């Protein structure tokens, strides 16, 4: 039976890897999700055959867990709106970290329970051998260090180290992801800094490391509990101050941490599917974190310990001048007579679900011989690849979609740059104003285009809360309204020509 279990884990791991590979392109992503999902179903169901699982109670508990979690995920997955996807991803990511930490907790508590028994058995054997009392034998064993070797003694040093590391990483990913979820869901202020935040973070981290080391040697459940609590606290303290431009970096970091925690705990309980899946997710998440940090121009240590990138302490002055607006119809007609147009989508396009109307509009422009391209900022929207997914869903060909570094120089040669629902990713303050909280974040240089059309409902700030001078530019026209309605108006205007 064990052979079947191990083979199933291997097959599940292969499905995870193939699934992840397929997810790297929008064309095959749907297939990739199905493969990875099938791997997960296999890895879950094979638990019933695991040699360590026996007794009716265990089977009933597994069925209840699968039914409750599967039912909840099915229900929430079906009703979640496209704009709520990022917070759902953050939530599920947190669950992964929490599950890994829970496995570590169970293993450690099991180890603590077996420690006294182990000592008792050895003391009784020694008492019988040496013809002394059990108390004397216990005292002699304790004097030799038995019973004080703690969790490491019961689990083995390698397993204990990985279990402890996985526990810390998992608890941080769990509590941090919950805070990220609350922020993305608008339940919490984007960024909250407590006085001396950097010191607090460093102290909590140092204490967590200290209690991690103590946990290795301890036979006290209290030490283990304090260690877990410190991990949870550190996750909260890391995520609470994050605002402005750092959110994408921290979300992908938590993603990577969850993968690592699962991999470590997989080693601790000897589960190869968890080791492979965790390592793959950890590696992919680490690469994504690096990409995001590079895209935001932010060293990771700054994100973790500094709490910069928040809108607190913003000293940049408010924009001067007035916004000039234009109707959707006039904007559409102007673009119909342009030669080159670049469209920059942002979070507001997802809110308005305007991608289909925008693509209809672009096809009309192309019929008239206008050259149209899409420019995607790496952190546009609320999750990595957010805009690519929306454009793919609308049927925009991939060769029309360009990354920031590939298209940024073309804005200066463009007749009209159309910004639909984007704000922070086109804010010139990030490039020009050293006092701005988002200074240093690379942006799409839409302000260099001959004309800029900004489609949004009002003049307000974006995710970072920083005012946008672009809206007041000489060459900027605001097209006020919901993204989908405005795009519909532009379509009608061009059709009427
Ligand atoms: P943004 O700065 O959040 O701005 C979005 C704009 O869309 C808003 O200013 C809003 O203005 C407009 N909008 C909202 N609903 C709309 C509708 N129905 N129709 C038209 N416009 C609408 O978006 P962004 O430029 O894409 O920048 C992304 C931000 O999110 C960055 O700060 C990034 O750091 C952060 N973030 C990204 C990720 C990621 O992984 N991509 C994750 C977390 C956070 P009105 O209210 O005036 O309409």
């Amino acid at each position: 039976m064990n052979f079947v279990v191990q083979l199933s884990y291997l097959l599940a791991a292969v499905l995870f890897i193939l699934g992840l590979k397929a997810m790297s392109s929008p064309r095959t992503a749907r297939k990739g999700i199905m493969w990875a999902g099938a791997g997960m179903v296999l890895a879950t169901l094979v638990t019933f055959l695991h040699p360590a699982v026996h007794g009716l109670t265990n089977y009933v508990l597994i069925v209840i867990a699968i039914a409750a979690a599967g039912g909840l995920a099915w229900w929430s997955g079906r009703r979640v709106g496209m704009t709520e996807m990022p917070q759902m991803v953050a939530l599920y990511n947190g669950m992964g970290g929490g599950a890994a930490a829970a496995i570590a907790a169970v293993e450690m508590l099991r180890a603590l329970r077996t420690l006294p028994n182990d000592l008792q058995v050895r003391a009784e054997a020694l008492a019988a051998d040496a013809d002394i009392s059990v108390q004397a034998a216990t005292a002699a064993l304790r004097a030799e260090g038995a019973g004080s070797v703690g969790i490491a003694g019961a689990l083995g040093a390698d397993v204990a180290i990985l279990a402890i590391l996985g526990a810390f990483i998992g608890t941080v990913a769990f509590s941090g992801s919950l805070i990220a979820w609350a922020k993305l869901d608008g339940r919490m202020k984007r960024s909250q800094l407590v006085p001396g935040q950097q010191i607090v973070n460093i102290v909590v981290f140092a204490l967590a490391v200290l209690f991690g080391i103590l946990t290795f040697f301890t036979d006290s459940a209290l030490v283990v509990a304090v260690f877990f609590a410190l991990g949870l606290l550190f996750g909260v303290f890391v995520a609470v101050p994050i605002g402005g431009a750092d959110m994408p970096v921290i979300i992908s970091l938590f993603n990577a941490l969850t993968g690592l925690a699962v991999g470590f705990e997989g080693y601790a309980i000897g589960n190869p599917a968890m080791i492979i899946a965790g390592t793959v997710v950890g590696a992919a998440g680490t690469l994504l974190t690096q990409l995001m940090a590079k895209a935001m121009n932010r060293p990771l240590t700054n994100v973790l310990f500094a709490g910069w990138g928040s809108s607190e302490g913003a000293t940049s002055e408010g924009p001067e001048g007035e916004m000039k607006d234009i109707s959707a119809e006039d904007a559409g007609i102007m673009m119909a007579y342009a030669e080159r147009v670049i469209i920059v989508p942002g979070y507001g396009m997802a809110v308005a679900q305007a991608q289909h109307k925008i693509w209809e509009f672009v096809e009309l422009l192309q019929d008239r011989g206008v050259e149209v391209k899409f420019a995607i900022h790496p952190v546009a929207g609320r999750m990595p690849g957010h805009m690519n997914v929306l454009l793919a869903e609308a049927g925009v060909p991939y060769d029309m979609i360009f990354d920031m570094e590939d298209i940024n120089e073309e804005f200066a040669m463009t007749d009209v740059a159309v910004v639909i629902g984007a704000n922070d990713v086109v804010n010139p303050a990030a490039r020009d104003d050293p006092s701005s909280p988002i200074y240093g974040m690379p942006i799409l240089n839409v302000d260099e285009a001959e004309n800029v059309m900004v489609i949004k409902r009002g003049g307000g700030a974006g995710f970072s809360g920083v005012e946008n001078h672009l809206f007041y530019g000489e060459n900027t026209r605001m097209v006020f309204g919901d993204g989908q309605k405005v795009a519909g108006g532009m379509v009608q205007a061009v059709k009427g020509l």
Side-chain angles (χ1 to χ4, degrees), residues 184 244-245 247-248 251 346-348 351-352 379-384 421-425 455-458 460-463 481-483:
L184 290 171
M247 244 358 231
I251 288 174
Y347 176 63
V351 178
V379 302
R382 291 291 182 274
M383 61 181 178
N423 195 336
D424 292 341
V425 300
I455 303 170
K456 69 200 290 284
R457 296 163 308 177
F463 183 81
D482 171 74

Side-chain angles (χ1 to χ4, degrees), residues 29-297:
R30 192 181 287 265
K31 201 166 58 183
I33 295 274
M34 301 300 284
W35 284 351
M40 196 56 88
V41 170
L42 181 64
T44 308
L45 289 185
V46 80
T47 313
F48 285 102
L49 304 179
H50 199 287
V53 178
H54 39 72
L56 186 65
T57 319
N58 276 334
Y59 289 118
V60 171
L61 284 175
I62 296 174
V63 171
I64 292 176
I66 292 178
L72 206 65
W74 179 268
W75 174 76
S76 58
R78 288 192 75 86
R79 61 178 279 281
V80 67
M82 193 62 199
T83 47
E84 295 159 351
M85 279 303 265
Q87 43 267 55
M88 186 162 144
V89 171
L91 194 62
Y92 281 5
N93 185 39
M95 295 297 145
I103 290 175
V106 168
E107 285 304 296
M108 289 180 196
L109 291 179
R110 205 207 311 263
L112 287 180
R113 248 203 341 233
T114 57
L115 273 177
N117 293 344
D118 187 40
L119 185 66
Q120 179 77 16
V121 170
R122 288 171 59 193
E124 281 169 7
L126 180 66
D129 273 357
D131 200 15
I132 52 172
S133 71
V134 175
Q135 283 91 335
T138 308
L141 285 172
R142 279 202 188 279
E144 284 171 18
S148 62
V149 288
I151 285 177
L155 292 180
D158 55 341
V159 172
I161 289 174
L162 288 184
I164 290 169
L165 278 176
F168 179 60
I169 298 173
T171 45
V172 171
F174 174 67
S175 58
S177 297
L178 289 189
I179 300 288
W181 163 79
K183 289 187 177 198
L184 290 171
D185 208 42
R187 288 164 197 262
M188 210 176 148
K189 246 184 84 188
R190 294 275 148 77
S191 132
Q192 271 154 341
L193 277 176
V194 294
Q197 182 74 50
Q198 284 154 276
I199 308 287
V200 174
N201 283 15
I202 290 168
V203 168
V204 174
F205 180 73
L207 279 175
V209 171
L210 176 70
F211 270 81
I213 295 169
L214 290 179
T215 297
F216 185 83
F217 297 106
T218 195
D219 50 8
S220 152
L222 185 65
V223 171
V224 177
V226 172
F227 169 58
F228 272 75
L230 284 166
L232 291 172
L233 204 62
F234 185 62
V236 171
F237 282 176
V238 163
V240 162
I242 301 287
D246 285 341
M247 244 358 231
V249 184
I250 206 78
I251 288 174
S252 43
L253 177 73
F254 287 147
N255 182 19
L257 292 183
T258 292
L260 279 182
V262 168
F264 287 167
E265 297 313 330
Y267 183 86
I269 61 169
N271 184 321
M274 278 174 68
I275 297 175
I276 297 175
T279 314
V280 168
V281 172
T286 306
L287 285 176
L288 187 63
T289 308
Q290 274 176 358
L291 282 174
M292 285 287 167
K294 192 166 157 249
M296 308 308 289
N297 212 4

Side-chain angles (χ1 to χ4, degrees), residues 407-489:
I407 201 164
N408 236 357
E409 286 181 359
E410 290 189 32
F411 282 106
M413 296 163 277
T414 297
D415 302 315
V416 187
V418 188
V419 177
I420 167 145
N423 195 336
D424 292 341
V425 300
V426 293
N427 192 340
R431 189 191 56 209
D432 305 330
D433 179 1
S435 69
S436 170
I438 56 171
Y439 181 68
M441 164 180 139
I443 56 156
L444 286 160
N445 294 325
V446 291
D447 55 337
E448 293 177 357
E450 200 173 327
N451 298 284
V452 185
M453 305 278 163
V454 179
I455 303 170
K456 69 200 290 284
R457 296 163 308 177
F463 183 81
S464 68
V466 179
E467 295 267 13
N468 198 334
H469 292 242
L470 174 77
F471 307 155
Y472 300 81
E474 259 315 299
N475 55 344
T476 302
R477 296 290 175 275
M478 303 297 290
V479 195
F480 288 120
D482 171 74
Q484 194 178 139
K485 288 211 182 86
V486 169

